[in-house]
Amino acid sequence: MKENPEQVVRLEARYGQGQSHGYDGAIMPFDHPTVFSRIEMETILRGIRVQLRKRLLTLGAAESGPKEAFTESERRSFAPVLVEAFAKARPDEWVVFFLSHPRGREADHRGGPGVTEVTSGGFLVEGRQLHLFLANYRSAVSMPLILDRMRDDPLRPAGEVFYELVPGVHQTVRQFDSITSTWDPIKSFRTGLSELVIDYQSVRIFPDESMRASDGGHSTEERLRTLQRLRAQGLVNEEEYRLKRQKLLDEL
């Protein structure tokens, strides 16, 4: 998979023997490999939002609303690699990621020159749900040793969690520490992780119009082709296909 100092996407076996432990303790595999298109993955990434928590050093700062977790440039480079990773993933493998970029020269309350911002975590698919575990979001790092550790283990929070995942349409948020006893034996490493559960099949069929790619990727023609493919794969029944197809045609 893709690995460079700024962007890492790789497959990691987390449970061995191709099986994972579900919320009820039952043994079950992830639904990997999974096929996504680039446009579908960009849509999913665009719909992931975070809310920064007010911290001690920012008590005097103005409140700001939820923001997109991934910038447009990140989505463009990140989405194709995720698509490739999910196409290759085995039923026991997570798709983990590490994204970083240098902080600008202007110092602020999170750091100044020489600081690197890191966003990291992991994805997996179960049934029609895509799970995102966000370990770090724009975490400010200035020590190379810490940066290397985060790159080696993207699912390890680097420190204080100062963000919250904000659920959108077809999304729910859960706290990872409430299920660590069944999902991960190394409980202390994962406490505080935020989990976003995305009904990605619904996102495929009924994408939020505000989540269209700015490059016009969600053209009516492309969305009709995607809808036809989903019907051919048995992921959309005839009634869903007919209703959505008519809606798309009405937009012409």
Side-chain angles (χ1 to χ4, degrees):
M1 301 312 305
K2 180 175 180 179
E3 293 203 22
N4 62 50
E6 289 75 38
Q7 179 172 294
V8 173
V9 178
R10 65 173 178 263
L11 304 176
E12 288 191 1
R14 288 277 160 174
Y15 301 104
Q17 307 302 315
Q19 294 179 321
S20 65
H21 295 273
Y23 298 116
D24 58 0
I27 301 296
M28 58 185 177
F30 302 142
D31 289 292
H32 301 162
T34 305
V35 177
F36 294 95
S37 71
R38 177 189 61 81
I39 292 173
E40 289 167 347
M41 186 57 70
E42 284 194 22
T43 298
I44 290 170
L45 293 176
R46 183 184 290 271
I48 299 172
R49 299 182 303 157
V50 296
Q51 172 68 62
L52 298 181
R53 296 173 181 168
K54 181 175 286 189
R55 297 185 296 170
L56 179 62
L57 294 179
T58 60
L59 288 179
E63 292 279 359
S64 60
K67 59 189 299 184
E68 293 178 353
F70 302 101
T71 66
E72 181 177 348
S73 62
E74 286 174 335
R75 293 193 298 268
R76 287 178 180 274
S77 64
F78 191 24
V81 187
L82 285 178
V83 168
E84 180 185 358
F86 273 112
K88 295 180 178 180
R90 299 194 310 263
D92 66 325
E93 291 179 320
W94 291 61
V95 177
V96 299
F97 66 91
F98 168 95
L99 306 176
S100 70
H101 65 270
R103 177 72 54 79
R105 292 186 177 182
E106 296 80 7
D108 62 16
H109 64 274
R110 294 175 297 173
V115 173
T116 299
E117 289 188 349
V118 174
T119 298
S120 71
F123 290 96
L124 61 89
V125 172
E126 286 186 338
R128 59 184 290 145
Q129 295 181 328
L130 173 67
H131 299 252
L132 163 65
F133 298 88
L134 193 61
N136 297 284
Y137 173 71
R138 303 280 188 249
S139 295
V141 183
S142 58
M143 298 178 61
L145 178 61
I146 301 300
L147 198 62
D148 289 342
R149 287 178 179 175
M150 296 171 73
R151 188 180 292 109
D152 290 341
D153 188 358
L155 283 168
R156 182 193 293 268
E160 177 190 2
V161 176
F162 60 92
Y163 61 87
E164 296 175 346
L165 285 163
V166 179
V169 179
H170 308 302
Q171 299 178 354
T172 56
V173 172
R174 288 199 286 250
Q175 280 303 115
F176 189 67
D177 47 326
S178 65
I179 56 174
T180 39
S181 60
T182 54
W183 276 76
D184 195 328
I186 314 176
K187 182 175 181 180
S188 61
F189 286 1
R190 315 301 173 199
T191 300
L193 272 183
S194 297
E195 177 194 9
L196 184 68
V197 182
I198 305 168
D199 184 348
Y200 74 91
Q201 296 288 12
S202 294
V203 172
R204 280 175 163 176
I205 303 168
F206 306 107
D208 183 344
E209 298 302 312
S210 67
M211 288 157 51
R212 291 188 180 186
S214 60
D215 61 358
H218 285 309
S219 69
T220 300
E221 181 180 354
E222 288 173 310
R223 295 165 76 194
L224 283 168
R225 284 202 298 265
T226 297
L227 187 61
Q228 290 172 341
R229 176 169 56 81
L230 293 174
R231 182 181 65 167
Q233 294 174 341
L235 300 175
V236 176
N237 62 36
E238 284 300 320
E239 180 65 13
E240 290 172 327
Y241 173 80
R242 184 185 63 80
L243 292 174
K244 184 58 178 175
R245 181 178 183 275
Q246 187 58 53
K247 180 180 178 181
L248 292 174
L249 292 175
D250 288 344
E251 295 176 0
L252 294 176

